[in-house]
Amino acid sequence: MADDKLIAAMAVACIAEELGTVPEHLKVVSFREVPDSPLEAYIKENNINYHKYQLGDESL
Amino acid sequence: MDSTWETKLGELNERRARVAAAGGQARVDKQHASGKLTARERMEALFDDGTFVEVDDMVTSRATDFGMDKKKVIGDGVITGYGKIHGRTVFASSQDFTIGGGSLGEAQAMKICRVMDMALEMKAPYISVNDSGGARIEEGIDSLAGYAGIFYRNTIASGVIPQISVIMGPCAGGACYSPAICDYIFMTRETSQMYITGPAVVKSVTGEVITASELGGAGVHGSVSGVAHFVYDNDLDCLNGVRRLLGYLPSNNEEKAAPVTGRTVDQCAKLADIVPSDSRKGYDVRDVIAAFADNGSFMEVQKDFAMNIVVGFARIDGRTVGIVANQSNYMAGSLEINASDKGARFIRFCDCFNIPLVTLVDVPAFLPGTVQEHGGIIRHGAKLLYAYSEATVPRISIIMRKAYGGAYIAMNSKGLGADVVYAWPIAEIAVMGASGAVAIIGRNAIKAAEDPEAVKKQLIDEYNEKFMNPYVAAEHGYVDKVIDPSETREEIVRALDMLENKKAGRPARKHGNIPL
């Protein structure tokens, strides 16, 4: 549970930074766990090594 | 929230759940067991994360004959919608094999046609993922009319928006003609097939026994028929390939491809080591491309078909270019029927979508022989000349080594309207090679000589000195500049800069009449 609180605090801090404000000015209404999409679940179940191609990947 | 709201939202959620369930878990499991993703998973892999928006998700067949009223499934076996790929809007349809084998009836065709209309109206690329048993027989003529509507739209959208077909299961009969009209066909190696008539019909008509894979698998279409432009091992790699290809293309014929800056290292200093000065020795022209293009940026098209010509997209200083190159390592880079078709089709695509062409020339001839002549090399070879001549995009040629006869003319020569022609110092630009030329023009002198071999050698030396160099062509204005190979990239960059705003006119006409 302590880890969850830390993760939530870090998430709020990241959002505040993105918005150019301070965490104290943000009000968290609720947190909801987002389940894996069907594709994410399929990739996990089958241990597939997958990276979605992003523009310019070939030059890396 | 009152009870009416609860009831109505409950009904909506129940319908949404039916849409998401596709053909049911058992069929989804079967799809996975055969190595394939579901239609919805494919859309997730194709589009940028979280951007796909499904449209017409509750459309259902109106058919009632042959018990169809009891087989209705919400969505009718295809998912359609739009989303972003590399941040740009793209439209797509994805046939759902878990619902009635993805068969196409009136409602499915209507959904596909609607999303194609949206793509054309919004001037955005259209991707069709095919995984279908074909026409829904129970719907009769309505399913055929559905295909006709798709083919018509493919044709009207051709040259206006990029159209890509991705074959990830069966694609049989008339259904093949939509991919065939599209610009590019992707196939998965073990799980896709394309054929007009399947193995059972082939056996009943010709007696030939053949498997579906042997008849129309990705291996055949990637290397023998030339129908498939890209072949990948599985769905995820294949859809990544589509994402990569779209990165080279503009959204439509009125735009230019967006530049993509990556790491660039000019490796042209090693070109003189890659290309042997002895024109009888081969090399891999892809090493030449890698030396001057942006790092890792070359994406080859039809790499296992007509390998004597190499075509594909690359970036130079971040700009997309189309590359057409003779492959010295295969049939000495000579041009024949399939290479002419492959080159012409690629050149015309680039011209449609404002992609400059860079042509690498090292070509001995059009391939001689009865197979070629009787196969119509005159008609097919003409396509290459025609495609170059009609292209109004910037056109740059680099004559690396051999450039002989009609094949020299066909490979984006100055006379066909090339904007800039460079030649390396080892270039040999002539009607034909020295021994062939001397055998004709020196025939009488050799025959009359006391020492025919000595005279022949003397004539060959004379021919080589006079013609087998780039300077006669440069003096006559057919070559703009003779360059050190190490200068190749910087010269191409300068030429592309100069040609950035090129606007070439053509006389008004309905359309030309390319020899097909």
Side-chain angles (χ1 to χ4, degrees), chain B residues 15-30:
Chain B
R15 281 177 179 265
R16 282 181 171 177
R18 277 200 284 143
V19 169
Q25 194 57 47
R27 285 181 182 164
V28 169
D29 290 344
K30 199 173 171 189

Side-chain angles (χ1 to χ4, degrees), chain A residues 37-39 42 48 50-55 58-60, chain B residues 32 37 44-45 47 49 240 243-244 247 263 295-296 315:
Chain A
S37 68
L39 180 63
Y42 176 79
I48 296 169
Y50 170 67
H51 162 75
K52 186 178 279 190
Y53 171 84
Q54 305 297 331
L55 211 49
E58 63 278 351
S59 72
L60 297 175
Chain B
H32 285 162
L37 297 176
E44 192 184 334
F47 285 97
D49 289 346
N240 261 347
R243 286 177 61 83
R244 185 178 178 200
R263 285 191 305 137
N295 277 15
R315 294 192 183 90

Side-chain angles (χ1 to χ4, degrees), chain B residues 17 47 120 132 143 190 226 251 254 256 265 280 289-290 339 341 347 366 388 394 450 480:
Chain B
F47 285 97
L120 188 56
S132 165
S143 59
E190 302 295 336
S251 291
E254 292 172 357
K256 287 184 177 176
V265 181
R280 290 165 301 181
I289 297 165
D341 284 1
I347 291 160
F366 277 100
Y388 269 125
E450 279 183 24
D480 293 291

